[in-house]
Amino acid sequence: MIRFFLLLNRSGKARLAKYYTPLSDEDKKRLEDEVYRLIVNRDSKFTNFIEFKTYKLVYRRYAGLYFVFAVDPTDNELLYLESIHLFVEILDHYFGNVCELDLVFGFHKVYCLLDEFVIGGEIQETSKKAGWGQGLGVGLAESKGSQPQQPWCGRTTTVI
């Protein structure tokens, strides 16, 4: 199970933080700082997995951003590493060559995409085609100028 997901920039500022276990604000900030210090000082020759407290950190760096999953120690690390890559591809598909400013100014859409991708600390969809077809490509119609995005992240309901 995923305990938390962090998206950190090179200076250590959290651009996205989603926690699936309850923590106080002070604990969250301390945790983000500790995770950043561990990852930024790590040599690129080492693996992208770190044992951290009672978690296992799985991280990947894309440009100036660190995508970090904290998972149970018994979970499959490679699944989460591939999931990070898939999430980056989804962001890239949605924003069109995603950058840090897209994440800052479109944070509500990024949270919406993350909530479609991970529900309750579990990955829901690992297929790009299925994900983009069922709502992980949320707001693509909005970006092409058709209907505005609904607040429920692209899910539609029909009343019979």
Side-chain angles (χ1 to χ4, degrees):
M1 179 177 164
I2 299 170
R3 299 301 174 177
F4 59 86
F5 176 73
L6 297 175
L7 207 157
L8 306 165
N9 66 8
R10 273 187 261 176
S11 62
K13 185 160 175 94
R15 293 301 183 189
L16 179 79
K18 181 76 174 184
Y19 293 87
Y20 298 100
T21 56
L23 293 171
S24 69
D25 290 339
E26 297 154 356
D27 290 339
K28 289 178 185 178
K29 182 62 179 155
R30 188 173 343 111
L31 198 64
E32 291 169 12
D33 292 341
E34 290 175 15
V35 167
Y36 174 73
R37 279 193 303 260
L38 272 174
I39 291 173
V40 77
N41 293 327
R42 196 165 163 91
D43 193 6
S44 62
K45 294 184 286 187
F46 297 132
T47 65
N48 293 356
F49 316 122
I50 302 173
E51 296 286 333
F52 175 70
K53 297 185 179 181
T54 60
Y55 312 118
K56 188 179 296 183
L57 298 177
V58 180
Y59 72 95
R60 193 154 185 187
R61 181 176 180 210
Y62 286 95
L65 297 170
Y66 294 96
F67 292 79
V68 184
F69 275 126
V71 299
D72 290 334
T74 57
D75 286 352
N76 185 354
E77 304 95 358
L78 295 176
L79 168 77
Y80 292 107
L81 196 61
E82 282 298 315
S83 298
I84 290 171
H85 183 70
L86 177 61
F87 185 64
V88 170
E89 285 183 345
I90 290 169
L91 290 174
D92 197 44
H93 185 259
Y94 180 78
F95 288 106
N97 199 10
V98 67
C99 67
E100 186 175 353
L101 285 177
D102 292 328
L103 303 175
V104 170
F105 293 116
F107 70 92
H108 56 286
K109 293 177 184 176
V110 178
Y111 272 108
C112 196
L113 289 168
L114 182 62
D115 287 343
E116 289 285 327
F117 185 62
V118 178
I119 298 175
E122 297 292 338
I123 304 257
Q124 293 304 305
E125 186 58 62
T126 57
S127 167
K128 280 191 281 190
K129 290 180 182 178
W132 285 331
Q134 296 176 358
L136 284 180
V138 172
L140 290 175
E142 176 188 344
S143 64
K144 293 180 182 167
S146 64
Q147 296 179 344
Q149 182 62 32
Q150 299 298 319
W152 50 83
C153 303
R155 293 183 182 169
T156 58
T157 56
T158 55
V159 179
I160 300 176

